[in-house]
Amino acid sequence: MAPRKLPPVRENLPAPSSPEGELFHYQPTEAEIWLPFAARKLCLMAFAREIPHVNNGNKIWFSGLNIREITEQFTVRPFTKADAKPARAAA
């Protein structure tokens, strides 16, 4: 079986954190550059409504704001003592 040919990634893409990139629409193969997921996984998560995305007639796109929100969604914050539950008193 021949490997599937992926759509080409456009050149000179704006970064999602830039003002131009906030509303720019990225294809899944382009969004995977900035996210820790493969394009296929991004599509599966979008179809399952697990991550924010733009759905243009059954075609998945990600705006720069979506990419930034996905990054925040999967960011793990360090544990602090303020987050700890108080220990129970011995009975």
Side-chain angles (χ1 to χ4, degrees):
M1 179 182 237
R4 192 174 73 118
K5 190 172 183 177
L6 296 174
V9 174
R10 295 174 282 181
E11 293 184 20
N12 302 323
L13 292 174
S17 59
S18 69
E20 307 86 38
E22 284 186 355
L23 299 177
F24 187 85
H25 285 83
Y26 300 89
Q27 298 171 3
T29 53
E30 298 166 342
E32 75 179 354
I33 296 169
W34 287 283
L35 294 169
F37 302 108
R40 178 173 170 74
K41 177 71 174 176
L42 288 170
C43 288
L44 291 174
M45 292 169 73
F47 284 128
R49 306 290 191 261
E50 296 173 354
I51 56 175
H53 65 283
V54 178
N55 188 343
N56 287 339
N58 236 8
K59 193 157 180 140
I60 300 296
W61 296 84
F62 297 95
S63 70
L65 293 173
N66 293 144
I67 292 172
R68 290 165 53 187
E69 191 175 339
I70 294 167
T71 302
E72 282 292 318
Q73 181 179 347
F74 289 97
T75 299
V76 178
R77 302 282 177 218
F79 179 77
T80 61
K81 290 199 177 212
D83 296 335
K85 294 180 183 176
R88 286 197 227 172

